[in-house]
Amino acid sequence: SPLGQGMALTLPLETKQVVLQNYAPREVDFSTGKSSTFSYRSEVITSCPSDSLVVHVLYISNDPAQKLWISGSSELRKSQETFPHLSPGDPIPSYALGRVIVVGGKSPHFNAGDIVGGRMIWADFAVVKQDKVKVKRSAIWSSSSDFVSTSLIE
């Protein structure tokens, strides 16, 4: 169904995350061994803080800046403002598009089912701070993947 509509999801909810296993100062290692840049971790989301949302991540932005974030560069760590420094074991951050599953607290800005764009992680589902995403109400893009690449900076 379009953008994951019709999914009845409740907490607790298992999610699979892509995490940084090893820094990649030169080339990303996509193997599945100990030298791999990435690994996978399963977690269970059992609750949603009052300032957050549980979001079903639908599309992630694969941004060239992510190569810098996973490089482990000490210079980048000093000047990093867009995303926090990544350490091995951290989920990979990304701008993304997702559908709200659970709204923490009483928010006048978000409802279950809303499509939101903003900072998330490489995962099936993510808990995100409400102030890091915006509801995307208009469908002026030609496809959802076009939307991720062009309108998350609004």
Side-chain angles (χ1 to χ4, degrees):
S1 62
L3 294 178
Q5 288 179 327
M7 299 173 61
L9 300 171
T10 59
L11 300 181
L13 188 63
E14 183 176 359
T15 184
K16 294 180 182 92
Q17 300 175 344
V18 178
V19 298
L20 180 66
Q21 181 168 286
N22 294 296
Y23 290 120
R26 291 181 189 84
E27 295 296 319
V28 174
D29 179 351
F30 291 106
S31 71
T32 57
K34 291 185 184 241
S35 66
S36 176
T37 302
F38 306 108
S39 64
Y40 300 94
R41 173 174 65 208
S42 290
E43 290 194 355
V44 176
I45 299 171
T46 58
S47 64
C48 183
S50 62
D51 64 345
S52 298
L53 307 166
V54 176
V55 176
H56 178 204
V57 180
L58 302 171
Y59 294 96
I60 61 169
S61 177
N62 194 356
D63 193 313
Q66 289 165 328
K67 175 64 174 116
L68 295 174
W69 303 335
I70 65 174
S71 71
S73 164
S74 59
E75 288 303 311
L76 182 65
R77 284 193 293 256
K78 291 177 189 172
S79 65
Q80 191 101 3
E81 293 180 17
T82 305
F83 281 100
H85 165 69
L86 288 181
S87 296
D90 289 345
I92 305 299
S94 179
Y95 286 103
L97 184 68
R99 179 176 296 283
V100 175
I101 304 299
V102 176
V103 178
K106 294 183 179 182
S107 172
H109 306 290
F110 299 98
N111 295 298
D114 283 346
I115 299 296
V116 294
R119 292 182 184 182
M120 297 182 205
I121 59 172
W122 289 4
D124 298 333
F125 301 93
V127 177
V128 298
K129 298 283 187 188
Q130 293 178 9
D131 64 351
K132 299 296 181 191
V133 296
K134 293 181 181 179
V135 174
K136 302 299 181 179
R137 300 205 186 276
S138 64
I140 59 171
W141 58 89
S142 60
S143 74
S144 298
S145 58
D146 290 343
F147 174 79
V148 171
S149 65
T150 60
S151 67
L152 288 177
I153 57 175
E154 294 177 354

